[in-house]
Amino acid sequence: MRHLFTLLMMFILIISSCKTTFQEDHKIGPTATITKKGKIESVIFSKDAECSLCNLGVIRFTPTLQEINEAEEILKKNIKEANVPMNNQGDGCPIIHKNLKNYRRQYFGFIDPEGNKVLYVNFSWAKYTISDKMKGYPSPNEDTSWKEGRLIVHDGCSYHWEIEINLTKQILQNLSVNGLA
């Protein structure tokens, strides 16, 4: 029994020490790099990538993998509190803070007017179920246009949302969830 307990404790320690992070997969052009965390694919856009509405007039920077992983930790730690109003969630739409692992991301970096390093992150639902297929919904993998530039989706409730992650202040700001139509 003691041996089984020791093996179980070692297994738990090994699993808990394996922190899942985003890792670079491959470049898909001069302004974008694909990253993966588990099954979710995301894209990091360089400072030269087109990003209409990404805080016009600010200085842009290309986020590093270290900054992406830092931002993800800030997000994980603070999203439930930032999502308190839970706008456009529930009633068939995902609860954001319970489904972070089901969203693909688009990352854009900028320096705000106060000199803070900020990541603008655009989230789109990436989980595709058998039920979705039976309803005739297209697979998120069928459309690759989101890898080419900022994805703009009107409505769609919490299947599409965006937030700014202030790396300097270690806070979330400007959470915006798409509306319902």
Side-chain angles (χ1 to χ4, degrees):
M1 184 69 168
R2 179 185 250 166
H3 182 67
L4 182 62
F5 178 76
T6 303
L7 285 174
L8 180 63
M9 291 307 292
M10 286 175 53
F11 177 74
I12 291 170
L13 283 172
I14 291 169
I15 295 298
S16 63
S17 68
C18 295
K19 194 176 192 179
T20 306
T21 60
F22 280 91
Q23 298 184 357
E24 184 173 326
D25 189 15
H26 62 279
K27 292 205 178 290
I28 56 170
T31 62
T33 301
I34 295 294
T35 64
K36 280 191 173 184
K37 180 178 181 181
K39 294 180 182 178
I40 299 297
E41 203 174 42
S42 297
V43 64
I44 301 170
F45 287 98
S46 78
K47 67 180 181 178
D48 300 319
E50 177 63 36
C51 181
S52 61
L53 305 177
C54 288
N55 288 313
L56 300 175
V58 297
I59 299 167
R60 298 272 307 279
F61 72 93
T62 303
T64 65
L65 283 173
Q66 180 179 346
E67 289 165 333
I68 298 297
N69 288 313
E70 179 184 347
E72 286 292 323
E73 287 301 313
I74 296 166
L75 179 69
K76 209 175 351 176
K77 190 166 114 178
N78 299 297
I79 189 61
K80 187 173 182 179
E81 183 180 329
N83 191 32
V84 167
M86 291 192 7
N87 294 329
N88 303 322
Q89 298 168 63
D91 295 328
C93 294
I95 305 297
I96 289 171
H97 63 270
K98 293 181 179 181
N99 286 285
L100 284 178
K101 68 179 190 255
N102 295 319
Y103 292 95
R104 62 184 174 206
R105 290 114 157 106
Q106 293 181 307
Y107 300 98
F108 298 86
F110 68 91
I111 307 293
D112 71 13
E114 290 81 42
N116 296 304
K117 222 172 194 185
V118 179
L119 291 186
Y120 163 81
V121 189
N122 198 8
F123 293 81
S124 293
W125 191 251
K127 186 175 181 182
Y128 187 67
T129 65
I130 292 171
S131 175
D132 293 333
K133 187 173 185 164
M134 289 172 51
K135 291 176 186 173
Y137 298 152
S139 165
N141 296 327
E142 291 173 13
D143 178 15
T144 59
S145 63
W146 67 276
K147 296 176 183 179
E148 298 165 12
R150 182 178 174 267
L151 181 65
I152 299 173
V153 178
H154 301 286
D155 300 319
C157 66
S158 54
Y159 286 102
H160 305 279
W161 59 284
E162 57 194 44
I163 198 163
E164 292 176 0
I165 303 172
N166 189 316
L167 297 173
T168 305
K169 294 182 178 179
Q170 302 276 300
I171 61 170
L172 303 177
Q173 57 196 40
N174 300 323
L175 169 65
S176 178
V177 180
N178 280 26
L180 296 167

